C-alpha cells in the first residue's frame, strides 16, 4: 500500500542514495542492497513517509538506476527521484534543487539508516521548527577512544564526555542549507559540517539506537535481527 504524504506538511526529506557502499562488499549500490527481502532504500523511505509532517521526499539515485528506483518506490510513497552525483554533497544538492516551493524545513537522511523510527524524523523537524537553524540527532560515545600515532602507538586517551556519534536525519532551515551548499568548497560527507563552516550553530537532539548505519556485513545482519524482532 502506497503511503500518503502530508500536503500541509512543512518538511522535505532528501535521501542521497547514489553511493556504491564498498565496505558492504561487492554488489548493487548500497541503498539497493536487500534487507529482509527489500532494499535498504525501501525500508528508509517507508519510515520517512510515516512521519506526519513530511510533505516531500526526494531521492538522489545512481544515474543508471533512476528509472528503476522510481519504479521501486512507486508502491511505497510518492517520491521524486533525481540523478545523484559522484560525491554525497552533489547528490544532496541535486535533491535540494528538486524540492518544490512550500517546505521550509529540510532533512537530509542516509538510506543506509534504514530502520530510523518516524519519531526521530519528527523530533529533528520539531527542533528546527522551534527556531534552530541546524539540528543533528546524536548518541553518547560509549567506547573508550584512543588517539593513535605512527606505528599504531597510542598517544593518549580522548575524553569521551564531550563526544557524540552523529546520526541522520539532520535538519535545517531551507535557506541555511541552500546557502551552505552554494558556498561549499571541498566535498564533505556531513551536511552539518557544511553549515558549521558558515558559522551557523548546530544543536543536538537525542538520537535512536535503531538509526544505526548499515555499512558493513555485520551491520546488515544486526538490522535483519532487529527487523525480525519487530523494529
Amino acid at each position: 500500500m502506497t503511503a500518503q504524504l502530508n500536503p500541509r506538511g512543512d518538511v522535505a526529506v532528501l535521501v542521497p542514495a547514489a553511493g556504491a557502499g564498498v565496505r558492504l562488499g561487492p554488489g548493487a549500490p548500497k541503498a539497493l542492497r536487500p534487507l529482509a527481502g527489500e532494499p535498504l532504500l525501501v525500508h528508509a523511505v517507508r519510515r520517512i513517509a510515516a512521519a506526519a509532517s513530511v510533505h516531500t521526499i526526494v531521492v538522489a539515485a545512481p544515474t543508471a538506476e533512476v528509472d528503476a528506483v522510481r519504479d521501486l518506490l512507486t508502491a511505497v510513497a510518492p517520491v521524486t527521484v533525481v540523478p545523484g552525483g559522484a560525491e554525497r554533497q552533489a547528490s544532496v544538492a541535486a535533491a535540494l534543487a528538486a524540492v518544490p516551493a512550500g517546505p521550509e524545513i529540510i532533512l537530509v537522511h542516509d538510506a543506509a539508516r534504514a530502520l530510523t523510527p518516524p519519531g526521530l524524523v519528527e523530533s529533528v523537524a520539531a527542533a528546527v521548527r522551534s527556531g534552530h537553524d541546524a539540528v543533528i540527532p546524536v548518541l553518547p560515545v560509549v567506547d573508550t577512544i584512543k588517539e593513535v600515532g605512527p606505528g599504531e602507538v597510542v598517544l593518549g586517551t580522548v575524553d569521551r564526555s564531550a563526544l557524540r556519534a552523529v546520526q541522520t536525519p539532520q535538519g535545517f532551515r531551507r535557506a541555511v542549507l541552500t546557502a551552505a551548499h552554494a558556498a561549499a568548497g571541498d566535498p564533505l560527507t556531513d551536511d552539518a559540517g557544511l553549515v558549521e563552516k558558515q558559522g551557523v550553530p548546530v544543536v543536538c537532539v537525542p538520537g535512536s539506537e535503531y538509526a544505526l548505519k548499515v555499512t558493513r556485513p555485520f551491520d546488515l545482519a544486526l538490522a535483519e535481527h532487529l527487523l525480525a524482532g519487530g523494529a
Side-chain angles (χ1 to χ4, degrees), residues 70-125:
R70 187 178 291 118
D71 292 343
L72 177 70
L73 296 175
T74 296
V76 181
V79 174
T80 300
V81 181
V82 299
E87 304 286 347
R88 184 181 188 279
Q89 183 182 321
S91 293
V92 174
L96 181 59
V99 175
E104 290 301 323
I105 298 172
I106 307 294
L107 306 189
V108 184
H109 186 51
D110 295 331
R113 299 186 188 272
L115 303 186
T116 299
L120 185 58
V121 175
E122 288 298 314
S123 175
V124 173

Side-chain angles (χ1 to χ4, degrees), residues 80-168:
T80 300
V81 181
V82 299
E87 304 286 347
R88 184 181 188 279
Q89 183 182 321
S91 293
V92 174
L96 181 59
V99 175
E104 290 301 323
I105 298 172
I106 307 294
L107 306 189
V108 184
H109 186 51
D110 295 331
R113 299 186 188 272
L115 303 186
T116 299
L120 185 58
V121 175
E122 288 298 314
S123 175
V124 173
V128 178
R129 197 178 292 120
S130 73
H132 297 297
D133 287 335
V135 177
I136 56 174
V138 301
L139 292 176
V141 173
V142 296
D143 292 322
T144 298
I145 304 296
K146 299 287 187 181
E147 182 183 0
V148 178
E152 294 300 297
V153 175
V154 172
L155 301 179
T157 302
V158 179
D159 179 6
R160 70 187 180 198
S161 65
L163 301 180
R164 299 293 183 270
V166 181
Q167 301 179 318
T168 69

Side-chain angles (χ1 to χ4, degrees), residues 160-227:
R160 70 187 180 198
S161 65
L163 301 180
R164 299 293 183 270
V166 181
Q167 301 179 318
T168 69
Q170 299 182 354
F172 310 89
R173 282 199 306 111
R174 184 172 184 159
V176 168
L177 186 61
T178 299
H181 274 273
D186 296 333
L188 295 178
T189 58
D190 177 64
D191 292 277
L194 292 179
V195 170
E196 289 165 30
K197 284 192 168 186
Q198 301 305 303
V200 176
V202 178
V203 174
C204 300
V205 298
S208 168
E209 298 286 357
Y210 289 98
L212 75 157
K213 187 176 184 181
V214 176
T215 301
R216 304 157 300 165
F218 177 82
D219 304 323
L220 194 60
L222 177 56
E224 294 252 6
H225 176 74
L226 292 173
L227 268 178

